[in-house]
Amino acid sequence: LAYLSVSEGIRTRDVVREIFSQAIAGVPVAKRMRWGASRFEFARPIQWLTLVYGEESEFGEVVGIATGRTTFGHRFHAPEAIELKHAADYADRLKQAYVLADFNERASLIEQQVNEQAASLGARARIDDDLLEEVASLVEWPSALAGSFDEEFLKVPSEALISSMQSHQKYFPVLNEQGELKPHFVTVSNIESLDPAQVISGNEKVIRPRLADAAFFFEQDLKQKLADRVARLDGVIFQKKLGSLGDKTRRVEGLAGAIAKLISADEAQAKRAAWLCKADLVSDLVLEFGDLQGIAGAYYARNDQEAGAVADAIQQHYWPLQAGSKLPESLEAISVALADRLDTLVGIFAIGQIPSGSKDPFALRRASIALLRMLVERQLNLDLTELLRLSSQTYPEGLVSTESLDMVQSYVLDRFPSLFEGQGVAVEVFRAVRNTGCTEPADFAARVNAVREFQDRPESQALAAANKRVSNILSKTAEGEAAKTIDTDLFGEAAEKQLFSAIQAVTSQSRDALASRQYTEVMTGLASLKTPVDEFFDGVMVNAEDPQIKANRLALLTQLRDQFQSVADISQLAG
């Protein structure tokens, strides 16, 4: 049965009001407002609606407001009404009225102006992409101005000052050539002031109490040792079924120590860093500036004369902060970072709160990718199965099941394609490696790279198809039907002898390469099997009438399959 339907295009003028309504309704706002008895919800009161299509503007009302060809420019520089004769005039007419309608143009101009202001101070601006986007969304006619603050505030951690300037005031910090914060900032005004000094002075007055707050919190925090804050973590819930942050700290401490042993890190320093790594979450500075977690702890640890490796690990155990950002540097920091993420993954899966769709409140996807990156990029020969087992032992007996550990392992390994995102690795390459049962991420990645290179060889498709054929034959073989050893005296065809010799040669050549994980070399050796494999299937009947010959040929195919799958299940590459 077939059904054919032809849907003609709808004229834009007939649906433009609906497009407008959907655009207004689709503005992402957490809390909306209503007016009177109307059920229409809005982010901000709508003053007017300009709706022009070509030269047309007679479209009636949208959300209860009449549309037309009238709009307005800058509230102060050009408050008069603007009549648009044609939709194409919109951007130019608004620019004449001191409004840059194009977002990208605004953002580009802001970046240029901010850099110019910083350069005039003999410095450079720290331009965060998110802040640039936010500021570009706040102004219509940007005008960047440079201001300053008291140098005494530079005694406070620069991260706290930067966080205050960016999050509270939407200022761009200014740095010297060494990347150190200077007592200056750049703000972006929405007006070309006739007296810029007044605007700068006003901004300087506003920033002072903000920075004073950061200085006060920092000074108060220094009055108590970081280690003395750990006990307060018992009063902060990590997850209701998994206990407090204090419970998590004790689990991470034990696990970090165990991992440190495996990777030859300093066990005592790793455990000390794990013990202290969450303590700054109950500090005043972090309660005010949440993005300083770890950073504040590192400052306080150094103030308390903790070892440098411990302080670094406290900050770096949160790394990577986002996709592609830098990893923890020391083995002690990696031990804590791995332990923290493993603990969260094992615990959350154990209580059944598995991520689904877009719901991932504990950021387990990000934790999994970070876990893989550390193990792969730092070339740590750690088995994920063993790491998960060690983590499960830190939880109360009976909480973590074997099934939930298996689910965590599958979940983490399923994130491997994200690790190679943008590198053009086909999904069948990952499937080929997954089918080997490899659970050591560094080894997994090495196999993926080797298979990816092999896939580009001209012999790959023929060998993949042959491997698939061998696997199908052996899957239909009854247990014990194949001989345990190969008897060369039973070879009756030249193709059998040739294939056997080729397999022996490849096996011998690849033995050392497999041991040293030179998988590309192993896969290159497989390419030499193409001709003898083709000739075997062309000239040899596997299911021979003589049971002994059949068993011998099945044993030969078993040996061939084992060689094929020594690195990956290349049958998955068959098109």
Side-chain angles (χ1 to χ4, degrees):
L1 297 175
Y3 172 73
L4 178 63
S5 174
V6 178
S7 180
E8 295 184 1
I10 304 173
R11 295 193 310 168
T12 301
R13 59 177 56 84
D14 294 335
V15 294
V16 69
R17 287 174 59 198
E18 180 61 24
I19 292 172
F20 225 64
S21 299
Q22 291 180 6
I24 294 172
V27 175
V29 178
K31 294 185 178 180
R32 295 175 176 269
M33 298 179 279
R34 291 199 309 270
W35 177 258
S38 171
R39 302 307 300 171
F40 171 69
E41 297 181 342
F42 52 89
R44 290 290 184 271
I46 299 174
Q47 303 295 329
W48 73 89
L49 289 179
T50 306
L51 181 47
V52 182
Y53 176 61
E55 295 182 348
E56 296 180 50
S57 65
E58 302 298 326
F59 293 101
E61 293 185 349
V62 175
V63 297
I65 298 176
T67 63
R69 61 175 70 249
T70 302
T71 188
F72 294 86
H74 196 286
R75 180 175 296 184
F76 301 112
H77 287 309
E80 300 81 11
I82 300 170
E83 293 293 318
L84 296 176
K85 294 182 179 180
H86 196 285
D89 300 335
Y90 180 72
D92 289 340
R93 292 296 306 276
L94 281 181
K95 184 176 287 189
Q96 293 168 14
Y98 293 85
V99 173
L100 289 178
D102 187 292
F103 175 85
N104 293 327
E105 185 180 1
R106 283 201 310 278
S108 178
L109 180 60
I110 290 170
E111 185 172 15
Q112 176 189 330
Q113 290 184 352
V114 170
N115 283 326
E116 288 173 353
Q117 289 293 324
S120 70
L121 299 169
R124 61 182 177 85
R126 184 183 189 273
I127 299 180
D128 180 83
D129 289 341
D130 290 339
L131 179 60
L132 177 61
E133 182 177 345
E134 186 175 5
V135 172
S137 301
L138 291 172
V139 299
E140 298 172 316
W141 193 254
S143 177
L145 300 167
S148 61
F149 56 85
D150 295 339
E151 286 194 31
E152 65 183 60
F153 287 122
L154 294 179
K155 298 176 183 177
V156 180
S158 60
E159 294 89 349
L161 303 180
I162 289 172
S163 178
S164 180
M165 282 189 274
Q166 291 185 155
S167 61
H168 292 151
Q169 302 305 127
K170 316 306 175 191
Y171 293 166
F172 294 93
V174 174
L175 311 176
N176 63 19
E177 292 182 359
Q178 290 73 40
E180 299 166 337
L181 185 66
K182 289 175 67 71
H184 299 282
F185 62 86
V186 179
T187 183
V188 179
S189 172
N190 193 34
I191 191 172
E192 286 185 5
S193 176
L194 297 175
D195 189 359
Q198 288 290 343
V199 179
I200 294 171
S201 176
N203 279 279
E204 291 174 342
K205 288 178 182 177
V206 171
I207 192 62
R208 181 178 177 83
R210 291 292 188 184
L211 300 184
D213 285 345
F216 173 77
F217 293 137
F218 179 64
E219 291 166 2
Q220 289 298 110
D221 286 341
L222 290 179
K223 295 177 181 179
Q224 183 180 21
K225 286 185 176 296
L226 189 63
D228 294 338
R229 297 181 183 276
V230 176
R232 291 174 56 189
L233 295 175
D234 286 325
V236 181
I237 296 295
F238 166 59
Q239 203 285 334
K240 186 169 64 174
K241 294 181 180 179
L242 300 177
S244 66
L245 277 176
D247 295 322
K248 180 177 177 64
T249 294
R250 287 181 280 275
R251 293 193 301 267
V252 171
E253 181 192 17
L255 183 56
I259 294 173
K261 281 184 180 179
L262 294 174
I263 62 176
S264 301
D266 187 305
E267 182 183 356
Q269 290 189 343
K271 292 181 71 173
R272 182 65 177 175
W275 175 249
L276 297 172
C277 71
K278 303 298 181 186
D280 67 349
L281 295 179
V282 290
S283 68
D284 291 339
L285 192 62
V286 174
L287 288 174
E288 179 68 16
F289 303 102
D291 56 339
L292 296 185
Q293 60 180 13
I295 297 171
Y299 275 102
Y300 300 150
R302 293 188 181 94
N303 184 72
D304 297 341
Q305 304 302 309
E306 296 284 352
V310 171
D312 290 341
I314 291 171
Q315 177 176 353
Q316 294 175 19
H317 89 281
Y318 287 107
W319 295 2
L321 297 175
Q322 57 191 14
S325 61
K326 59 184 176 181
L327 299 175
E329 295 168 354
S330 69
L331 291 177
E332 291 75 28
I334 287 176
S335 299
V336 182
L338 289 173
D340 186 30
R341 289 165 174 84
L342 285 164
D343 176 79
T344 300
L345 283 160
V346 169
I348 297 302
F349 268 80
I351 60 175
Q353 292 198 13
I354 303 167
S356 60
S358 60
K359 294 182 180 179
D360 186 13
F362 286 88
L364 300 188
R365 290 184 182 87
R366 189 170 64 188
S368 299
I369 294 172
L371 191 70
L372 292 174
R373 279 194 62 201
M374 284 185 276
L375 294 172
V376 171
E377 294 179 31
R378 290 288 187 259
Q379 289 293 298
L380 300 175
N381 299 324
L382 297 177
D383 192 295
L384 184 58
T385 304
E386 174 64 10
L387 291 176
L388 294 173
R389 185 189 66 80
L390 290 171
S391 180
S392 69
Q393 291 176 344
T394 65
Y395 278 96
E397 188 174 351
L399 178 67
V400 182
S401 67
T402 302
E403 292 76 14
S404 69
L405 287 181
D406 290 342
M407 292 173 68
V408 177
Q409 182 166 286
S410 292
Y411 181 83
V412 174
L413 293 177
D414 283 344
R415 308 276 80 75
F416 250 109
S418 299
L419 208 63
F420 287 83
E421 195 170 14
Q423 297 183 30
V425 183
V427 67
E428 56 265 23
V429 172
F430 295 105
R431 284 202 301 264
V433 179
R434 278 297 300 274
N435 282 5
T436 65
C438 176
T439 57
E440 188 177 311
D443 191 35
F444 194 110
R447 291 170 184 260
V448 166
N449 284 320
V451 175
R452 175 175 56 176
E453 290 184 30
F454 173 76
Q455 193 180 34
D456 293 334
R457 297 182 66 96
E459 307 93 343
S460 65
Q461 280 301 306
L463 287 171
N467 188 17
K468 191 171 185 178
R469 184 174 179 180
V470 170
S471 297
N472 289 338
I473 292 171
L474 294 177
S475 67
K476 299 172 184 176
T477 302
E479 187 175 352
E481 191 174 358
K484 293 183 179 179
T485 59
I486 297 173
D487 185 351
T488 56
D489 291 336
L490 292 176
F491 288 155
E493 302 289 344
E496 289 179 277
K497 299 175 184 177
Q498 184 180 348
L499 178 58
F500 177 74
S501 297
I503 293 173
Q504 294 302 302
V506 169
T507 302
S508 177
Q509 292 168 4
S510 64
R511 189 173 293 114
D512 291 339
L514 280 171
S516 58
R517 299 183 177 182
Q518 301 298 315
Y519 297 127
T520 299
E521 185 178 332
V522 178
M523 300 301 287
T524 300
L526 288 181
S528 66
L529 293 175
K530 181 182 181 302
T531 299
V533 167
D534 288 345
E535 291 179 355
F536 177 85
F537 282 119
D538 287 343
V540 177
M541 174 69 70
V542 176
N543 293 320
E545 293 184 6
D546 187 324
Q548 281 188 304
I549 295 177
K550 177 181 178 181
N552 200 54
R553 289 173 179 172
L554 289 173
L556 181 61
L557 291 185
T558 300
Q559 194 174 92
L560 175 62
R561 181 190 61 185
D562 292 344
Q563 189 58 41
F564 272 146
Q565 298 184 354
S566 59
V567 175
D569 178 8
I570 65 169
S571 67
Q572 296 294 320
L573 306 180

